[in-house]
PDB file of all heavy atoms in Angstrom:
ATOM      1  N   GLN D   1      12.699  -9.787  -5.359  1.00 97.00           N
ATOM      2  CA  GLN D   1      12.257 -10.378  -4.139  1.00 97.00           C
ATOM      3  C   GLN D   1      11.876  -9.332  -2.916  1.00 97.00           C
ATOM      4  O   GLN D   1      11.465  -9.727  -1.816  1.00 97.00           O
ATOM      5  CB  GLN D   1      13.502 -11.215  -3.458  1.00 97.00           C
ATOM      6  CG  GLN D   1      13.959 -12.368  -4.395  1.00 97.00           C
ATOM      7  CD  GLN D   1      14.832 -13.229  -3.651  1.00 97.00           C
ATOM      8  OE1 GLN D   1      14.585 -14.059  -2.908  1.00 97.00           O
ATOM      9  NE2 GLN D   1      16.215 -13.134  -4.102  1.00 97.00           N
ATOM     10  N   LYS D   2      12.125  -8.065  -3.241  1.00 98.00           N
ATOM     11  CA  LYS D   2      11.879  -7.065  -2.187  1.00 98.00           C
ATOM     12  C   LYS D   2      10.833  -6.003  -2.718  1.00 98.00           C
ATOM     13  O   LYS D   2      10.625  -5.736  -3.851  1.00 98.00           O
ATOM     14  CB  LYS D   2      13.187  -6.423  -1.852  1.00 98.00           C
ATOM     15  CG  LYS D   2      14.167  -7.283  -1.217  1.00 98.00           C
ATOM     16  CD  LYS D   2      15.490  -6.388  -0.854  1.00 98.00           C
ATOM     17  CE  LYS D   2      16.495  -7.315  -0.086  1.00 98.00           C
ATOM     18  NZ  LYS D   2      17.698  -6.612   0.177  1.00 98.00           N
ATOM     19  N   CYS D   3      10.157  -5.472  -1.700  1.00 98.00           N
ATOM     20  CA  CYS D   3       9.081  -4.609  -1.968  1.00 98.00           C
ATOM     21  C   CYS D   3       9.034  -3.474  -0.963  1.00 98.00           C
ATOM     22  O   CYS D   3       8.986  -3.797   0.339  1.00 98.00           O
ATOM     23  CB  CYS D   3       7.652  -5.176  -2.176  1.00 98.00           C
ATOM     24  SG  CYS D   3       6.504  -4.064  -2.836  1.00 98.00           S
ATOM     25  N   LEU D   4       9.126  -2.229  -1.279  1.00 98.00           N
ATOM     26  CA  LEU D   4       9.125  -1.013  -0.335  1.00 98.00           C
ATOM     27  C   LEU D   4       7.684  -0.414  -0.184  1.00 98.00           C
ATOM     28  O   LEU D   4       7.041  -0.207  -1.359  1.00 98.00           O
ATOM     29  CB  LEU D   4      10.091  -0.081  -0.848  1.00 98.00           C
ATOM     30  CG  LEU D   4      10.406   1.071   0.143  1.00 98.00           C
ATOM     31  CD1 LEU D   4      11.026   0.572   1.370  1.00 98.00           C
ATOM     32  CD2 LEU D   4      11.371   2.173  -0.535  1.00 98.00           C
ATOM     33  N   PHE D   5       7.287  -0.052   0.873  1.00 97.00           N
ATOM     34  CA  PHE D   5       5.957   0.578   1.060  1.00 97.00           C
ATOM     35  C   PHE D   5       6.184   1.956   1.715  1.00 97.00           C
ATOM     36  O   PHE D   5       6.414   2.077   2.891  1.00 97.00           O
ATOM     37  CB  PHE D   5       5.127  -0.155   2.142  1.00 97.00           C
ATOM     38  CG  PHE D   5       4.460  -1.347   1.495  1.00 97.00           C
ATOM     39  CD1 PHE D   5       5.167  -2.523   1.153  1.00 97.00           C
ATOM     40  CD2 PHE D   5       3.170  -1.349   0.916  1.00 97.00           C
ATOM     41  CE1 PHE D   5       4.618  -3.634   0.624  1.00 97.00           C
ATOM     42  CE2 PHE D   5       2.479  -2.509   0.331  1.00 97.00           C
ATOM     43  CZ  PHE D   5       3.301  -3.545   0.191  1.00 97.00           C
ATOM     44  N   PRO D   6       6.392   3.051   0.853  1.00 95.00           N
ATOM     45  CA  PRO D   6       6.275   4.389   1.604  1.00 95.00           C
ATOM     46  C   PRO D   6       5.005   4.723   2.306  1.00 95.00           C
ATOM     47  O   PRO D   6       3.952   4.708   1.618  1.00 95.00           O
ATOM     48  CB  PRO D   6       6.571   5.254   0.408  1.00 95.00           C
ATOM     49  CG  PRO D   6       6.972   4.354  -0.820  1.00 95.00           C
ATOM     50  CD  PRO D   6       6.324   3.145  -0.513  1.00 95.00           C
ATOM     51  N   ALA D   7       5.139   4.802   3.542  1.00 91.00           N
ATOM     52  CA  ALA D   7       3.835   4.989   4.373  1.00 91.00           C
ATOM     53  C   ALA D   7       4.039   6.035   5.537  1.00 91.00           C
ATOM     54  O   ALA D   7       3.617   5.815   6.606  1.00 91.00           O
ATOM     55  CB  ALA D   7       3.500   3.708   4.924  1.00 91.00           C
ATOM     56  N   ALA D   8       4.635   7.178   5.029  1.00 85.00           N
ATOM     57  CA  ALA D   8       4.916   8.243   6.197  1.00 85.00           C
ATOM     58  C   ALA D   8       4.055   9.346   6.089  1.00 85.00           C
ATOM     59  O   ALA D   8       4.042  10.258   6.822  1.00 85.00           O
ATOM     60  CB  ALA D   8       6.376   8.714   6.080  1.00 85.00           C
ATOM     61  N   GLY D   9       3.040   9.438   5.106  1.00 81.00           N
ATOM     62  CA  GLY D   9       2.308  10.601   4.916  1.00 81.00           C
ATOM     63  C   GLY D   9       1.216  10.803   5.920  1.00 81.00           C
ATOM     64  O   GLY D   9       0.874   9.961   6.687  1.00 81.00           O
ATOM     65  N   TYR D  10       0.800  12.114   5.933  1.00 79.00           N
ATOM     66  CA  TYR D  10      -0.205  12.392   7.026  1.00 79.00           C
ATOM     67  C   TYR D  10      -1.730  12.006   6.783  1.00 79.00           C
ATOM     68  O   TYR D  10      -2.417  11.935   7.646  1.00 79.00           O
ATOM     69  CB  TYR D  10      -0.218  13.923   7.226  1.00 79.00           C
ATOM     70  CG  TYR D  10       1.064  14.458   7.808  1.00 79.00           C
ATOM     71  CD1 TYR D  10       1.843  15.376   7.057  1.00 79.00           C
ATOM     72  CD2 TYR D  10       1.561  13.952   8.945  1.00 79.00           C
ATOM     73  CE1 TYR D  10       3.051  15.827   7.573  1.00 79.00           C
ATOM     74  CE2 TYR D  10       2.807  14.445   9.449  1.00 79.00           C
ATOM     75  CZ  TYR D  10       3.491  15.403   8.681  1.00 79.00           C
ATOM     76  OH  TYR D  10       4.668  15.904   9.247  1.00 79.00           O
ATOM     77  N   GLY D  11      -2.020  11.649   5.512  1.00 80.00           N
ATOM     78  CA  GLY D  11      -3.460  11.318   5.262  1.00 80.00           C
ATOM     79  C   GLY D  11      -4.375  12.509   5.414  1.00 80.00           C
ATOM     80  O   GLY D  11      -5.437  12.123   5.972  1.00 80.00           O
ATOM     81  N   THR D  12      -4.040  13.623   4.997  1.00 84.00           N
ATOM     82  CA  THR D  12      -4.811  14.807   5.529  1.00 84.00           C
ATOM     83  C   THR D  12      -6.214  14.775   4.809  1.00 84.00           C
ATOM     84  O   THR D  12      -7.152  15.449   5.456  1.00 84.00           O
ATOM     85  CB  THR D  12      -4.205  16.182   4.948  1.00 84.00           C
ATOM     86  OG1 THR D  12      -3.711  16.065   3.599  1.00 84.00           O
ATOM     87  CG2 THR D  12      -2.968  16.349   5.913  1.00 84.00           C
ATOM     88  N   ARG D  13      -6.390  14.125   3.727  1.00 86.00           N
ATOM     89  CA  ARG D  13      -7.770  13.989   3.081  1.00 86.00           C
ATOM     90  C   ARG D  13      -8.818  13.186   3.942  1.00 86.00           C
ATOM     91  O   ARG D  13      -9.980  13.223   3.706  1.00 86.00           O
ATOM     92  CB  ARG D  13      -7.712  13.446   1.693  1.00 86.00           C
ATOM     93  CG  ARG D  13      -7.052  14.501   0.668  1.00 86.00           C
ATOM     94  CD  ARG D  13      -7.184  13.967  -0.700  1.00 86.00           C
ATOM     95  NE  ARG D  13      -6.201  13.003  -0.862  1.00 86.00           N
ATOM     96  CZ  ARG D  13      -6.061  12.256  -2.045  1.00 86.00           C
ATOM     97  NH1 ARG D  13      -6.800  12.579  -3.120  1.00 86.00           N
ATOM     98  NH2 ARG D  13      -5.162  11.371  -2.340  1.00 86.00           N
ATOM     99  N   PHE D  14      -8.265  12.507   4.885  1.00 88.00           N
ATOM    100  CA  PHE D  14      -9.154  11.608   5.751  1.00 88.00           C
ATOM    101  C   PHE D  14      -9.292  12.163   7.217  1.00 88.00           C
ATOM    102  O   PHE D  14      -9.661  11.523   8.087  1.00 88.00           O
ATOM    103  CB  PHE D  14      -8.661  10.118   5.769  1.00 88.00           C
ATOM    104  CG  PHE D  14      -9.321   9.473   4.648  1.00 88.00           C
ATOM    105  CD1 PHE D  14      -8.573   9.366   3.439  1.00 88.00           C
ATOM    106  CD2 PHE D  14     -10.527   8.860   4.726  1.00 88.00           C
ATOM    107  CE1 PHE D  14      -9.170   8.715   2.341  1.00 88.00           C
ATOM    108  CE2 PHE D  14     -11.074   8.145   3.712  1.00 88.00           C
ATOM    109  CZ  PHE D  14     -10.367   8.104   2.489  1.00 88.00           C
ATOM    110  N   LEU D  15      -8.756  13.477   7.338  1.00 87.00           N
ATOM    111  CA  LEU D  15      -8.934  13.996   8.776  1.00 87.00           C
ATOM    112  C   LEU D  15     -10.466  14.152   9.084  1.00 87.00           C
ATOM    113  O   LEU D  15     -11.252  14.447   8.210  1.00 87.00           O
ATOM    114  CB  LEU D  15      -8.262  15.322   8.781  1.00 87.00           C
ATOM    115  CG  LEU D  15      -6.710  15.352   8.927  1.00 87.00           C
ATOM    116  CD1 LEU D  15      -6.173  16.781   8.803  1.00 87.00           C
ATOM    117  CD2 LEU D  15      -6.239  14.763  10.139  1.00 87.00           C
ATOM    118  N   PRO D  16     -10.893  13.927  10.298  1.00 90.00           N
ATOM    119  CA  PRO D  16     -10.006  13.736  11.477  1.00 90.00           C
ATOM    120  C   PRO D  16      -9.648  12.205  11.717  1.00 90.00           C
ATOM    121  O   PRO D  16      -8.991  11.918  12.697  1.00 90.00           O
ATOM    122  CB  PRO D  16     -10.957  14.156  12.615  1.00 90.00           C
ATOM    123  CG  PRO D  16     -12.351  13.931  12.069  1.00 90.00           C
ATOM    124  CD  PRO D  16     -12.264  14.223  10.599  1.00 90.00           C
ATOM    125  N   ALA D  17     -10.175  11.303  10.825  1.00 87.00           N
ATOM    126  CA  ALA D  17      -9.945   9.833  11.046  1.00 87.00           C
ATOM    127  C   ALA D  17      -8.572   9.564  11.231  1.00 87.00           C
ATOM    128  O   ALA D  17      -8.063   8.579  11.877  1.00 87.00           O
ATOM    129  CB  ALA D  17     -10.596   9.086   9.989  1.00 87.00           C
ATOM    130  N   THR D  18      -7.556  10.280  10.370  1.00 86.00           N
ATOM    131  CA  THR D  18      -6.213  10.024  10.360  1.00 86.00           C
ATOM    132  C   THR D  18      -5.373  10.908  11.342  1.00 86.00           C
ATOM    133  O   THR D  18      -4.243  10.904  11.267  1.00 86.00           O
ATOM    134  CB  THR D  18      -5.661  10.150   8.910  1.00 86.00           C
ATOM    135  OG1 THR D  18      -6.132  11.438   8.402  1.00 86.00           O
ATOM    136  CG2 THR D  18      -6.264   9.024   7.976  1.00 86.00           C
ATOM    137  N   LYS D  19      -6.061  11.585  12.141  1.00 86.00           N
ATOM    138  CA  LYS D  19      -5.277  12.427  13.203  1.00 86.00           C
ATOM    139  C   LYS D  19      -4.340  11.674  14.067  1.00 86.00           C
ATOM    140  O   LYS D  19      -3.313  12.102  14.532  1.00 86.00           O
ATOM    141  CB  LYS D  19      -6.227  13.192  14.083  1.00 86.00           C
ATOM    142  CG  LYS D  19      -5.689  14.212  14.982  1.00 86.00           C
ATOM    143  CD  LYS D  19      -6.599  15.056  15.779  1.00 86.00           C
ATOM    144  CE  LYS D  19      -6.009  16.026  16.652  1.00 86.00           C
ATOM    145  NZ  LYS D  19      -5.423  15.374  17.865  1.00 86.00           N
ATOM    146  N   ALA D  20      -4.840  10.422  14.459  1.00 84.00           N
ATOM    147  CA  ALA D  20      -3.916   9.734  15.413  1.00 84.00           C
ATOM    148  C   ALA D  20      -3.786   8.260  14.764  1.00 84.00           C
ATOM    149  O   ALA D  20      -3.141   7.389  15.540  1.00 84.00           O
ATOM    150  CB  ALA D  20      -4.672   9.558  16.762  1.00 84.00           C
ATOM    151  N   GLN D  21      -4.138   7.924  13.571  1.00 86.00           N
ATOM    152  CA  GLN D  21      -3.936   6.566  12.991  1.00 86.00           C
ATOM    153  C   GLN D  21      -3.405   6.736  11.570  1.00 86.00           C
ATOM    154  O   GLN D  21      -3.767   7.683  10.956  1.00 86.00           O
ATOM    155  CB  GLN D  21      -5.087   5.667  13.236  1.00 86.00           C
ATOM    156  CG  GLN D  21      -6.186   6.048  12.190  1.00 86.00           C
ATOM    157  CD  GLN D  21      -7.246   4.938  11.923  1.00 86.00           C
ATOM    158  OE1 GLN D  21      -6.858   3.760  12.146  1.00 86.00           O
ATOM    159  NE2 GLN D  21      -8.438   5.361  11.818  1.00 86.00           N
ATOM    160  N   ALA D  22      -2.604   5.701  11.201  1.00 88.00           N
ATOM    161  CA  ALA D  22      -2.163   5.805   9.757  1.00 88.00           C
ATOM    162  C   ALA D  22      -3.320   5.486   8.766  1.00 88.00           C
ATOM    163  O   ALA D  22      -4.143   4.705   8.983  1.00 88.00           O
ATOM    164  CB  ALA D  22      -1.091   4.703   9.531  1.00 88.00           C
ATOM    165  N   LYS D  23      -3.214   6.385   7.840  1.00 91.00           N
ATOM    166  CA  LYS D  23      -4.314   6.164   6.656  1.00 91.00           C
ATOM    167  C   LYS D  23      -4.205   4.752   6.015  1.00 91.00           C
ATOM    168  O   LYS D  23      -5.203   4.154   5.563  1.00 91.00           O
ATOM    169  CB  LYS D  23      -4.143   7.108   5.615  1.00 91.00           C
ATOM    170  CG  LYS D  23      -2.895   7.113   4.715  1.00 91.00           C
ATOM    171  CD  LYS D  23      -2.777   8.163   3.621  1.00 91.00           C
ATOM    172  CE  LYS D  23      -1.549   8.065   2.798  1.00 91.00           C
ATOM    173  NZ  LYS D  23      -1.522   8.891   1.686  1.00 91.00           N
ATOM    174  N   GLU D  24      -2.984   4.240   6.108  1.00 93.00           N
ATOM    175  CA  GLU D  24      -2.734   2.881   5.483  1.00 93.00           C
ATOM    176  C   GLU D  24      -3.467   1.731   6.369  1.00 93.00           C
ATOM    177  O   GLU D  24      -3.590   0.704   5.861  1.00 93.00           O
ATOM    178  CB  GLU D  24      -1.273   2.575   5.481  1.00 93.00           C
ATOM    179  CG  GLU D  24      -0.427   3.371   4.474  1.00 93.00           C
ATOM    180  CD  GLU D  24      -0.123   4.780   5.008  1.00 93.00           C
ATOM    181  OE1 GLU D  24      -0.210   4.946   6.162  1.00 93.00           O
ATOM    182  OE2 GLU D  24       0.529   5.535   4.276  1.00 93.00           O
TER     183      GLU D  24
END
């Protein structure tokens, strides 16, 4: 019934788009 989303990474492969927003 439960699902976990690890979503704390920096998303460096999408810089600069992910500099101030989550890659997710």
Side-chain angles (χ1 to χ4, degrees):
Q1 298 188 80
K2 296 184 178 182
C3 191
L4 188 67
F5 285 78
Y10 293 124
T12 51
R13 286 186 288 177
F14 274 89
L15 287 171
T18 50
K19 182 174 181 288
Q21 72 165 329
K23 66 176 179 178
E24 294 82 8

